[in-house]
Amino acid sequence: MAFDVNHIREQFPILKREVSGNPLVYLDNAATTQKPQAVIDAIVEFYTQCNSNVHRGAHQLSDEATRRYEEAREVVAGFINAPAKEEVIWTSGTTEGINIVAKGMAQQLQAGDEVLVTEMEHHANLVTWQQACKLSGATLKVVPIHDTGELNEQAFTELLSERTRILSMPHVSNALGTINPIQSLTAQAKAKGALVLIDGAQGVAHGDVDVQAIGCDFYAFSGHKLFGPTGIGVLWGRKEVLETWPVWLTGGEMIETVTYQDATWGALPNRLEAGTPNIAGAIGMAAAIKWFQALDVDAVKAHEQALLDYALELAKDIPGMRIVGNAPKKIGILSFVIEGAHPADIGFLLDRQGIAIRTGDHCAQPLMKRLGVPGTARASFSIYNTFEDVEALFKGLKKASMMLA
């Protein structure tokens, strides 16, 4: 079936609105994606038809809510090719998933151990490991990048050693769009006996994710960057690792037995899911995945690549514009600076024209320092963006550049 971007756009109600009297041009997809009507309907249906807490309820509403909630887990497991649905742990998002791993790892690390991250990390996958190393006495090692935004694979090989206890790295850079060769890097790390965590926040909505093919131990991602609701995410982990992983939160649902003196933990996935979960979020996330899976993934990739290629071509006509991050393999993220213009001013002037981008350090302050910029303006493309959106961006940039000159 041919890729029909107009048909896709019709399924996103928010794309019909105006901003400052202009049609909305939404190019902030790396921060969060918009939601199709199918996702909105799934959440509304839950709250209007079977809202109840899950598990142990002695009534029909609870049974229906539990069934939908656990079916959502199965949908996620199938989407990422997880061997078992019990390996799918619901979280509030990628950040919580990384913290579950880092907090647990901090209890196992000791002086002399090393944690390996990269220069392109989002703060969520950097600050967490800084803290884990401070608590344990382990050493944090950082793999450098090339000026293009690609990972320095030779340096990676040199920094990886028998002392490396865990490699934690992004599938895709949120600030640059760089796609990392996670399968080959994971294989190298596993050969040294290290655990591997992949931050999949930016990677999951841009093509197939197969955790078994990647070979990692953990893969974390968020629903809101996959056309799903905010406040819901997943930490996938290999069953044999998760079964003995230190618990993250304690309380209801995650226990097996409790006395006044002690408690024992339940089986997966409950042991890592304390308290009332985000039931509507899980159901909404499953609806988003089902919606996405009905599309031709190769066509989606080709469309987003075409948008990026067109943007790179138009960028040549903007005086003083410099693209930040030129890796040969990248998703539709265009980070840039314009000589003499502050990114925040660019963002403000584009917003007045109905064009939504993001500006700043993109939760990657050390990366910005490495690249020699205080921050960038970032336009990020998704499945519902059009060539007209790209043209509107550069028409807006020309107008903004003249105003800031």
Side-chain angles (χ1 to χ4, degrees), residues 1 18 55 80 125 130 155 169 322 330 353 357 377:
M1 184 173 63
E18 293 186 349
H55 306 144
I80 61 175
N125 201 39
Q130 290 173 348
M169 66 178 297
R322 177 168 65 89
K330 60 181 290 184
Q353 301 173 66
I357 67 166

Side-chain angles (χ1 to χ4, degrees), residues 94-108:
T94 307
T95 297
E96 183 181 357
I98 294 171
N99 269 272
I100 291 173
V101 179
K103 296 293 186 182
M105 201 70 200
Q107 299 181 39
Q108 304 171 57

Side-chain angles (χ1 to χ4, degrees), residues 5-6 25 307 310 385-394:
V5 68
N6 291 322
V25 177
L307 293 174
Y310 189 38
N385 289 124
T386 65
F387 292 105
E388 289 77 16
D389 288 343
V390 178
E391 291 168 357
L393 169 65
F394 283 92

